[in-house]
């Protein structure tokens, strides 16, 4: 995406808002104007009927009913990241209407012969954000040479709010006049930021290199970079990505993200979440041989806790466990983390 | 490769034997018959003139001069893993003569239009061992469910002898009547074993999954699996691959490999090799949340030490540092490691 706000239609059939993490992330943190959401199960409602924290827009049943727009963004993904054929009409209508189409699926729209031919004819772009740049290569171990201070969000598990925490930290830092920038590593983050390498999709040998490349690209233009972490260093499937980001980013400070009450790795229930101090030790000792760093603060996702009082108590416990300040940047704000990162 | 020994010509132009790790690895540990080496700089010599530990064969200048064969194997790789156009004649001659061609390059022979057309016409196979199986996916965290005991070689750096140690351990175990098998993870290991996933080339999200898939495939058919490790957990570029193998393999025992006297990460000289006990702690504490394990023995590459006495002294120091038995499986033998793995 460019710097000019564009008019975006977000496809989220059957999943808006609770199972549409990409759609809601782009709506909440992106800079583009959302002109409609496509969800045939909620056609006729408005976004404001579902979620108070998102910009309001009409929800319609198909692209044919959407208002004028520049972009159709696929805001959901089936398990496995395939393309759901029931979306084909919407994508074709969008191309016909001169819209670019942005997707973060494992299935690449630009390699679909039908879409590719139509897009060429209409002169629009099919942008698969999960398609890695073919020029990526191995890390050189030089991310620490940029002028900016580098912070990285790390986690006890997947889906604990690392992207959200990173975006909230950047926003809070910017409000204080710090020249902070977000470094995206996943498809939603890339859609929000409008650039970035999909780290979970690159060749494994290039994992650290793909992070380093982004830091070298923008590091000298900012004072604080907040790199979006992925997975967890104790995750049975995704730890390789986590480790590559940890070493590639060469972060000066880590922010440990966790979900209040989660006790096992999501989807891998036989693997317990370890005690918080173990994560602190493990991330620090693993980072150290490449670039010394420490966990300076924590973000706790308290969305499932019933009220602010319970959330405050959970934050106190979490803060004690990690030995530093902690906040829920969504329920409260990211101020304490910014204090720790930029004292 | 199949189980029947085939007649193999190994291409190693300009690099045989010292800069031809794949060629010499396949010659030393593979089960196929090596009928010739191609090295135009040594044409007319014999393998026995260069290296006493490899099966003897003539060295010739081109495929046209090679004896009858079933396979041409590309046994060297330029930096970056590209295809050297000066090899094109040899590959075409091989195809013309009805040979399969096996390569571990980043450049895929099977996607070269000229080679692909010729191979189709001749009915031969172009086998790119570094091309990952498109069906790979994320790990389930179940490698420990196979019947075999799982050992993994880990290292202080790249190119310290993890593949060689793994192969020597398997051989020594088999000599004692243990049903041991090698699980390859890199292109040379795959060429030697004739199967396997190129872990450094898979999608980063599938790193652990690609190791798990191999273990599930053969784990119930053997008593001891020795998984070939890659890189080092302190490597600024390749640690993601190392971490994914560590968690995907769910090893019962680790064997720490090191090169005597190496003080910095090869090619990354500003990153020192850490004290050996740090590697023991780091590998064990990182593995533990997914599968508890320990470093039970070490392999030290003493090839650069002048004599056995110096090597023995270095082994004593290494053994003290890691707190377990250590050997150089090439200079001496892998017996002590097998003792530790299979007491």
């Amino acid at each position: 995406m460019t710097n000019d706000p564009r008019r975006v239609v977000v496809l989220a059939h059957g999943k808006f808002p609770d199972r549409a993490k990409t759609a809601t992330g782009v709506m909440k943190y992106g800079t583009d104007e959302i002109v409609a959401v496509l969800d045939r199960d909620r056609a006729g409602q408005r976004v404001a009927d579902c979620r108070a924290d998102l910009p309001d827009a009409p929800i319609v049943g198909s692209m044919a009913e959407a208002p004028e727009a520049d972009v159709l963004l696929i805001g959901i993904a089936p398990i496995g990241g395939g393309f759901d054929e029931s979306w084909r009409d919407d994508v074709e209508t969008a191309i016909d209407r001169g819209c670019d189409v942005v997707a973060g699926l494992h299935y690449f729209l630009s390699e679909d012969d039908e879409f590719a031919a139509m897009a060429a004819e209409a002169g629009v772009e099919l942008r698969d954000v999960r398609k890695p740049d073919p020029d990526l290569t191995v890390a050189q171990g030089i991310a620490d040479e940029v002028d900016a201070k580098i912070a990285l969000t790390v986690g006890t598990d997947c889906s604990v709010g690392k992207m959200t925490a990173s975006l909230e930290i950047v926003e809070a830092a910017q409000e204080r006049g710090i020249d902070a920038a977000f470094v995206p590593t996943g498809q939603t983050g890339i859609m929000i930021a409008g650039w970035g390498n999909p780290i979970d999709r690159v060749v494994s040998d290039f994992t650290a290199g793909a992070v380093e490349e982004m830091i070298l690209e923008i590091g000298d233009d900012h004072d604080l970079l907040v790199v979006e972490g992925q997975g967890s260093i104790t995750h049975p499937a995704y730890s390789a990505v986590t480790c590559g980001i940890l070493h590639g980013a060469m972060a000066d400070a880590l922010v440990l993200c966790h979900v209040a009450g989660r006790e096992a790795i999501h989807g891998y229930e036989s693997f317990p979440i370890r005690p918080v101090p173990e994560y602190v030790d493990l991330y620090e000792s693993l980072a150290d041989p490449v670039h010394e760093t420490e966990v300076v603060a924590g973000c706790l996702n308290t969305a499932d806790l019933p009220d602010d009082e319970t959330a405050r108590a959970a934050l106190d416990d979490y803060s004690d466990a990690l030995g530093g300040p902690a906040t829920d940047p969504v329920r409260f704000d990211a101020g304490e983390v910014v204090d720790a990162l930029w004292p």
Side-chain angles (χ1 to χ4, degrees), chain A:
Chain A
M1 299 183 205
T2 69
N3 290 324
D4 292 331
R6 297 181 305 171
R7 294 164 301 176
V8 175
V9 174
V10 178
L11 184 152
H13 284 305
K15 297 195 171 174
F16 190 80
D18 292 339
R19 290 176 299 138
K21 183 176 145 180
T22 296
T24 56
V26 169
M27 294 171 74
K28 183 158 182 179
Y29 295 105
T31 54
D32 289 318
E33 182 194 355
I34 308 300
V35 296
V37 169
L38 306 189
D39 185 344
R40 51 178 91 89
D41 294 353
R42 288 182 183 268
Q45 300 180 18
R46 296 193 61 90
V47 171
D49 302 331
C50 312
R51 278 269 297 261
D53 63 327
L54 300 179
D56 193 27
I59 304 179
V60 298
S62 72
M63 190 64 200
E65 302 158 70
E68 228 183 302
D70 308 303
V71 175
L72 172 65
L73 184 148
I74 310 292
I76 51 177
I79 291 170
F83 181 79
D84 186 322
E85 284 299 323
S86 78
W87 309 337
R88 188 166 286 273
D89 276 353
D90 290 322
V91 172
E92 295 189 352
T93 304
I95 296 172
D96 265 342
R97 290 177 54 182
C99 293
D100 294 337
V101 185
V102 178
L105 305 171
H106 275 297
Y107 179 90
F108 297 142
L109 302 187
S110 58
E111 293 177 4
D112 179 295
D113 290 340
E114 211 166 299
F115 294 151
M118 288 182 69
E121 169 126 0
V124 303
E125 189 191 358
L126 301 175
R127 184 148 181 273
D128 292 298
V129 301
R130 221 162 180 177
K131 194 170 188 171
D133 177 345
D135 294 332
L136 292 176
T137 184
V138 299
Q140 302 173 68
I142 57 169
D144 61 342
E145 292 180 5
V146 300
D147 287 337
K149 177 168 187 174
I150 301 170
L152 167 66
T153 50
V154 292
T156 58
D157 193 2
C158 292
S159 301
V160 294
K162 289 179 288 285
M163 181 193 79
T164 299
S166 304
L167 289 160
E168 294 282 355
I169 293 165
V170 167
E171 218 170 271
Q174 287 171 341
E175 279 165 14
R176 293 196 192 173
I178 301 164
D179 181 353
F182 171 67
V183 178
T185 59
Q187 69 269 30
T188 303
I190 293 170
M191 285 185 182
I192 291 168
W195 71 291
N197 294 324
I199 303 297
D200 61 356
R201 195 66 162 74
V202 305
V203 167
S204 58
D205 242 6
F206 304 160
T207 310
V211 176
E212 182 184 81
E213 190 261 349
M214 290 191 286
I215 291 173
L216 296 179
E217 184 175 336
I218 68 161
D220 289 336
D221 302 333
H222 299 280
D223 295 323
L224 174 65
L225 301 183
V226 183
V227 180
E228 175 195 7
Q230 294 288 340
S232 167
I233 202 59
T234 70
H235 197 289
Y238 304 128
S239 62
V241 174
T242 309
C243 182
I245 295 175
L246 183 70
H247 282 159
M250 303 182 82
D252 301 297
L254 305 177
V255 177
L256 182 64
C257 302
H258 179 52
V259 174
R262 190 176 298 180
E263 291 180 350
I265 302 284
H266 180 68
Y268 293 77
E269 308 298 325
S270 65
F271 295 89
I273 303 273
R274 310 286 286 211
V276 168
E278 263 190 52
Y279 287 93
V280 174
D281 288 347
L282 204 43
Y283 278 115
E284 289 179 355
S285 61
L286 181 58
D288 189 43
V290 175
H291 190 79
E292 204 180 332
T293 189
E294 59 177 326
V295 174
V296 300
C299 286
L300 187 69
N301 179 338
T302 66
D304 291 340
L305 299 185
D307 53 49
D308 288 2
E309 197 187 344
T310 322
R312 294 248 180 240
L315 279 170
D316 285 346
D317 289 348
Y318 186 56
S319 172
D320 286 349
L322 65 82
T327 187
D328 180 335
V330 174
R331 186 189 286 265
F332 304 116
D333 65 65
E336 278 152 302
V337 178
V338 178
D339 291 340
L341 289 175
W342 201 265

